[in-house]
Amino acid sequence: MSSPKILVLGAGGIGGYFGGRLAESGADVTFLVREGRRKILSEQGLRLESPFGDAQLAVKTVVASEVAPIFDGVILTCKAYDLDAAIATIAPAVAPSGYVLPFLNGIAHIDLLNQRFGQRRVLGGTAKIQATLTPSGAIRQFNDWRTLTFGEQSGQMTERVTTLAALFAPAKGVEAFAVTDIVQRMWEKIVHLSTAAAMTCLMRANVGEIVRTPYGRELFLEQLRCGAAVAAAGGHEPSDSFMKLWEETFSQRESQYATSMLRDVERGGSTEVDHILGFMLNRAIDANIEHRTLMLAYTHIKALEQRRAAGRLP
């Protein structure tokens, strides 16, 4: 696997950015896309707008009907609500000895991927980035977040994991880390993400706007502690350094950090509410952990879905 063939499902904010940077560095990368996106990529290239340098790249693409089981690694960056369709799409592309590396929000998707491909062929991963696909077809990165973390569910440091880290090493605007505790890190990420999503969606504001209100910081830290208690009940108590980092992040009065779930709400699209907030809410209820803010945020978005389904939104 000294020069693995990598397939990236989609060419949106996360997959397009990290896959694009990988292709830019000379790696063998192919994007699995729909016909419409393929046409844009063929005509305009994959365009990145980033603090680490803009790029316009000619990239290899395939559509679902063209895939063959030749890819050593398949990077999965879909939304959770598209996971079933994504699994069916990538299954024919994974080589017999290949693996799937998901960079989805949350942790519930791991069980579904394990059922389909077997635990040995599924890595764990997290992505820290704020990027989106613009209406013009470019991928815009909003800040300096650019981190991928991945590893074996077993905790072993295998050759395929170190090879992938080495593949990312020369990529511009990317920090990639192979780790032995990826499951713990995925739990920590859902603690921070569920806190941020609950608060930004419930308040319809970014972190700084919320913190500048009289009780915003207090509510943020209360929800962070709720998420940490849920993780601890599942055997994955967040570290002291993690808690300190996010206590500071959720106390910054000038922060413009907003979640992709809030952007989905504001544009009237589907959200990952069940995969993120619903998952944590159910765990909190099962563990008898105080969860009022989490329940309010979850109910707020689910009620919004009801209004949209009834055609009662502008």
Side-chain angles (χ1 to χ4, degrees):
M1 293 183 64
S2 59
S3 182
K5 295 176 70 66
I6 303 297
L7 182 71
V8 180
L9 178 64
I14 297 177
Y17 181 81
F18 287 113
R21 290 304 192 191
L22 202 56
E24 183 184 31
S25 70
D28 186 351
V29 179
T30 302
F31 292 90
L32 175 52
V33 293
R34 295 186 176 95
E35 287 287 359
R37 184 63 171 148
R38 184 187 217 181
K39 184 174 186 295
I40 292 173
L41 293 174
S42 175
E43 294 174 350
Q44 304 177 11
L46 179 66
R47 293 180 293 135
L48 306 178
E49 300 173 356
S50 164
F52 300 95
D54 296 348
Q56 187 167 5
L57 311 168
V59 294
K60 294 190 293 185
T61 63
V62 292
V63 294
S65 61
E66 298 172 344
V67 297
I70 61 172
F71 294 96
D72 302 298
V74 177
I75 295 177
L76 187 59
T77 61
C78 67
K79 292 288 190 178
Y81 46 76
D82 288 331
L83 182 58
D84 289 341
I87 289 174
T89 300
I90 66 170
V94 187
S97 60
Y99 60 84
V100 177
L101 173 54
F103 289 116
L104 276 70
N105 292 325
I107 199 167
H109 58 277
I110 291 293
D111 286 342
L112 291 175
L113 290 167
N114 286 347
Q115 291 170 16
R116 177 60 182 82
F117 298 101
Q119 183 174 335
R120 189 190 65 80
R121 301 179 70 195
V122 179
L123 304 185
T126 66
K128 184 179 180 182
I129 186 172
Q130 279 198 292
T132 191
L133 182 64
T134 68
S136 70
I139 295 161
R140 181 173 300 148
Q141 184 184 15
F142 294 111
N143 58 19
D144 64 354
W145 290 2
R146 60 195 187 279
T147 304
L148 293 178
T149 308
F150 47 84
E152 301 283 356
Q153 294 182 62
S154 66
Q156 295 176 295
M157 185 58 70
T158 58
E159 180 184 358
R160 64 187 181 183
V161 168
T162 57
T163 297
L164 186 61
L167 199 66
F168 272 108
K172 181 192 303 183
V174 177
E175 297 176 329
F177 301 99
V179 301
T180 57
D181 61 345
I182 191 60
V183 175
Q184 172 70 19
R185 291 175 186 245
M186 291 175 69
W187 267 102
E188 289 183 343
K189 181 175 181 181
I190 197 172
V191 169
H192 115 243
L193 183 59
S194 61
T195 300
M199 289 296 294
T200 60
C201 291
L202 187 58
M203 308 303 172
R204 300 294 184 90
N206 65 35
V207 170
E209 291 163 342
I210 297 168
V211 172
R212 290 194 296 272
T213 68
Y215 306 109
R217 178 177 180 273
E218 178 183 343
L219 286 169
F220 247 127
L221 299 188
E222 180 182 279
Q223 184 52 43
L224 179 64
R225 289 190 289 270
C226 168
V230 170
H236 296 279
E237 181 176 3
S239 67
D240 290 342
S241 60
F242 169 89
M243 293 299 291
K244 181 179 179 181
L245 169 65
W246 289 102
E247 285 169 1
E248 292 173 352
T249 300
F250 295 142
S251 300
Q252 293 174 0
R253 295 175 61 86
E254 302 307 316
S255 172
Q256 297 184 39
Y257 173 33
T259 59
S260 60
M261 191 180 296
L262 175 61
R263 290 193 291 273
D264 289 338
V265 167
E266 291 179 334
R267 69 178 176 82
S270 299
T271 73
E272 296 180 307
V273 60
D274 290 304
H275 191 69
I276 304 299
L277 301 186
F279 173 84
M280 291 296 277
L281 177 59
N282 289 334
R283 290 296 184 105
I285 292 170
D286 290 344
N288 197 29
I289 294 166
E290 172 55 42
H291 53 266
R292 181 61 59 179
T293 300
L294 187 59
M295 181 181 286
L296 284 170
Y298 176 77
T299 304
H300 172 68
I301 298 177
K302 297 300 287 185
L304 193 67
E305 291 178 350
Q306 293 289 323
R307 288 190 66 197
R308 181 175 295 116
R312 294 191 299 106
L313 283 176

